[in-house]
Amino acid sequence: MINLSWSPLDSTIELLDVSDVDDSLRLTVKSNRKSSSCPACHHVSSRPHSRYTRVIQDLPIADRPVQLLLISRKWFCDDPSCSLKVFTERYDWLAPHGRRTLRAEHILRQIAFSTSCVAAEKIAQAIRLPISHDSLLTMIHKTPIPVEVSPFPRSR
């Protein structure tokens, strides 16, 4: 195991392992929650269904790209009126179905909005936060911008 000083993204995340994968650091982290709230009905469940893994891009450490291998849980929703029977854990630092931490997305969004997406791709590569210019463009289009400051015409 590589010796690394790392602060968890929240108190429910436990660092299990740090390893070299290609040119990146892979941090294997696990949720240690005893319960989770259903995103549809907000019923708190303490009945786990299963575990699954996701690879999440995070900010670089010591000039090395970082991948979080997140071991997370699925839970049963026991509320009979809820449309979801099984749901996945949600995290404040990660969008549902997200592939990057919110802090990494924030940095990439700042770069993309301050230059062209082609130049932003090169800057992101240089700071070890690789992303394609197409993904940056998608990120820009998905960013809510108040109408009074938006350079994009309003859809009718």
Side-chain angles (χ1 to χ4, degrees), residues 42-95:
H42 306 292
H43 176 81
V44 176
S45 174
S46 56
R47 198 162 63 105
H49 175 275
S50 58
R51 290 197 185 268
Y52 69 102
T53 60
R54 293 169 65 179
V55 177
I56 311 296
Q57 183 182 31
D58 196 16
L59 296 177
I61 297 175
D63 203 31
R64 305 240 346 244
V66 170
Q67 299 175 345
L68 301 176
L69 179 62
L70 174 64
I71 303 169
S72 193
R73 281 193 174 149
K74 292 184 180 185
W75 300 85
F76 288 104
C77 182
D78 294 323
D79 183 347
S81 63
C82 184
S83 61
L84 292 180
K85 300 303 171 206
V86 176
F87 64 92
T88 59
E89 287 179 302
R90 300 294 199 261
Y91 302 95
D92 292 339
W93 47 271
L94 181 63

